[in-house]
Amino acid sequence: MRNKLSVLCFSVLLCLTNTITAFASFERGDDGQDVLAIQKRLVELSYKIVNLDGNFGPETEAATKKFQEDKGLDVDGVVGPDTYRVLMNKDIPPNRGRSSVVRNVLNAAYSVMGVPFVFGGTTPSGFDCSGFVQYAFARAGVSIPRMADSQFYYGRRISMSEVRPGDLVFYTTYEPGASHCGIYVGNGNFIHAGSSTGVTVAPAFTGYWGARYYGACRIL
């Protein structure tokens, strides 16, 4: 029993560590000295940025995409771990930029992996789907509505192709419309409180949930 508990604790810790690294990024909307350093480095490498102002806007995004294209990286305009390492010759700093809020949400979500499903539940003793989502956002200092359908209309609705980590994904289950929800974590997966699984990670757009996909929204 003690060995199983140790393995479980290690797995959760590893998951949290990987989450922090995987979702560290600088992207459009971020600002500050870290962004300014990125801008200066791009200019040093002859990528055009006229305004070195520490604001990650369209110009910085375009320069980042050109850099990524030249270096054979994924061309998305986001300075994530791989792009940052090639550009800055060091690992990306943790807990920086707007995406730090996303990381806080995801860390809170992963911290309650395995908590059982309880209808109406809003605490680590037990969650329903929207109670889990509200809890994870609240732990990151973000207040959102309690119910799944209200959460769907609270954020800015986005297409499936636009979904990124931290966005909410919704499904039609026991009633029409957005009756189930979770948090997209990347790589085609989402974390949610399932009625038969408790808090777990599952494919967001294929299989059981893909057949019931209703839409997505962005709050952060």
Side-chain angles (χ1 to χ4, degrees), residues 31-113:
D31 57 28
Q33 291 301 309
D34 292 309
V35 174
L36 179 59
I38 289 170
Q39 291 175 325
K40 289 181 176 179
R41 179 59 177 158
L42 285 167
V43 169
E44 287 176 4
L45 296 174
S46 301
Y47 294 93
K48 183 180 179 181
I49 299 177
V50 175
N51 298 310
L52 298 177
D53 54 7
N55 292 308
F56 202 121
E59 192 177 44
T60 304
E61 184 178 65
T64 299
K65 287 182 176 179
K66 186 64 172 67
F67 173 81
Q68 290 171 326
E69 181 181 352
D70 291 345
K71 299 299 182 181
L73 299 163
D74 290 339
V75 180
D76 57 9
V78 175
V79 181
D82 293 338
T83 298
Y84 191 93
R85 189 176 300 111
V86 175
L87 176 63
M88 306 299 287
N89 298 314
K90 60 182 180 180
D91 289 332
I92 193 167
N95 301 317
R96 302 288 181 88
R98 179 183 50 144
S99 55
S100 65
V101 180
V102 172
R103 290 194 296 276
N104 289 339
V105 169
L106 294 173
N107 285 341
Y110 277 106
S111 74
V112 290
M113 281 276 286

Side-chain angles (χ1 to χ4, degrees), residues 101-102 105-106 108-109 121-122 127-156 166-170 180-184 191 217-220:
V101 180
V102 172
V105 169
L106 294 173
T122 60
F127 291 109
D128 64 15
C129 65
S130 57
F132 162 71
V133 170
Q134 186 187 50
Y135 170 85
F137 274 74
R139 287 288 301 272
V142 181
S143 177
I144 63 173
R146 168 68 179 88
M147 304 305 293
D149 54 353
S150 298
Q151 291 173 357
F152 179 70
Y153 290 106
Y154 184 76
R156 176 172 69 86
D167 291 336
L168 302 188
V169 285
F170 297 85
H180 185 77
C181 60
I183 304 169
Y184 186 69
I191 187 169
C217 78
R218 177 165 300 153
I219 293 174
L220 300 175

Side-chain angles (χ1 to χ4, degrees), residues 175-194:
E175 64 181 12
S179 53
H180 185 77
C181 60
I183 304 169
Y184 186 69
V185 298
N187 298 320
N189 295 315
F190 78 120
I191 187 169
H192 70 126

